[in-house]
Amino acid sequence: QVQLVESGGGLVQPGGSLRLSCSASGSIFSINSMGWHRQAPGKQRELVALITRGGSTNYSDSVKGRFTISSDNAKKSVNLQMNSLMPEDTAVYYCNVRGLVGIPLQALDAWGQGTLVTVSS
């Protein structure tokens, strides 16, 4: 069974920085992509940043230039460095890992439990 453990959320003032981390455990055969999504109160979950096995990255327009995603496939971990945080970045952030797992191989689409990021003065 694959589990994702997130850390790094908290309260930060506008303009501040936070670093989110996510580590996966379990018998993952391969990872195709790792990403971060977020869900603000009353809103749908949205993609924040994604990184593929090959290292390609994709960011939502709202975080481009402020957030940086990085991963270590060997360690099955992904990080999100968040700079110049704004109140509208307040949300629960979820780690997501997609790939292959198990014997026979099956698609993996695992989610973390979420970590709260609050940007407020």
Side-chain angles (χ1 to χ4, degrees), residues 7-9 17-22 34-38 46-51 57-60 63 66-71 77-83 85 89 93-95 115 117:
S7 61
S17 299
L18 280 176
R19 183 178 176 85
L20 303 183
S21 296
C22 173
M34 305 180 80
W36 290 92
H37 294 67
R38 68 186 181 187
E46 63 173 356
L47 174 67
V48 175
L50 181 80
I51 185 166
T57 57
N58 185 34
Y59 296 92
S60 69
V63 307
R66 300 188 297 121
F67 290 10
T68 302
I69 190 170
S70 61
S71 69
S77 64
V78 61
N79 301 306
L80 185 68
Q81 178 66 42
M82 304 185 294
N83 299 328
L85 283 161
D89 294 317
Y93 285 70
Y94 297 91
C95 174
T115 184
V117 172

